[in-house]
Amino acid sequence: EAVSNVIDNAINYVTIPKTHATSTSTTTITSTYTTTSSTTIQKHNPNPRIRITIQSNDNNNNNNKRNNNNNNNNKSNNSLYPPGVTVRIEDNGPGIPHHEVEAIFTRGYRGERTKHVSYGSGVGLDISKAMIQRMGGLLNVVDTQDDSYDGFAIEIILFRNPKF
């Protein structure tokens, strides 16, 4: 339930452009008439993308060790965690300003960039984080791994033998 809610958020918000509106307007005034040119508003992300990766946190997994050693772009070091799995969800949507990152987990909070252009009540991430924590896991906002998914990234980390 918690994972599907986080994915649903990514699907809803990735279509929002990085800026709410891009507008251009020019006015030409002559002695006999006034002409106002058109305004162009970007309503959707022209190329929405979401990437979901699932990676083992198992320190005994040789493939995971090899991938972590060879992948310098990996900003999440999953080998530091006890055995389990990390689900990483990234998109190229509008992202979240740094000053709002902690607030998105507060019940009822809606981000400034999205609250006027998308539906919701602001309880989804709060509930998701609570559910994952009750299972002994973590839900964290993280840096995106590359420029093609430069919007928002979140990790859900679940452990094989959680400590409650």
Side-chain angles (χ1 to χ4, degrees), residues 98-153:
H98 290 290
H99 67 275
E100 290 186 4
V101 168
E102 289 303 316
I104 66 170
F105 295 108
T106 303
R107 186 169 296 242
Y109 182 81
R110 301 283 319 277
E112 289 299 318
R113 290 184 183 173
T114 58
K115 70 181 176 183
H116 300 295
V117 294
S118 180
Y119 67 91
S121 59
V123 298
L125 286 176
D126 175 60
I127 292 171
S128 295
K129 188 168 188 167
M131 290 173 70
I132 290 166
Q133 287 175 336
R134 286 188 63 146
M135 293 186 294
L138 303 169
L139 178 63
N140 299 314
V141 174
V142 294
D143 291 333
T144 56
Q145 289 185 343
D146 62 54
D147 290 339
S148 64
Y149 292 91
D150 61 351
F152 180 66

Side-chain angles (χ1 to χ4, degrees), residues 12 25 34-35 51 58-59 65-66 74 83 86 92 99-100 102 117 136-137 141-143 145 149 157-158 160:
N12 285 329
S25 180
T34 301
T35 305
R51 174 171 52 196
D58 192 345
N59 290 327
K65 285 182 182 179
R66 184 173 56 245
N74 188 1
T86 296
N92 70 335
H99 67 275
E100 290 186 4
E102 289 303 316
V117 294
V141 174
V142 294
D143 291 333
Q145 289 185 343
Y149 292 91
I157 304 164
L158 302 171
R160 191 172 298 141

Side-chain angles (χ1 to χ4, degrees), residues 25-42:
S25 180
T26 55
T27 303
T28 306
I29 301 173
T30 65
S31 59
T32 56
Y33 62 92
T34 301
T35 305
T36 304
S37 72
S38 65
T39 300
T40 305
I41 298 176
Q42 185 180 11

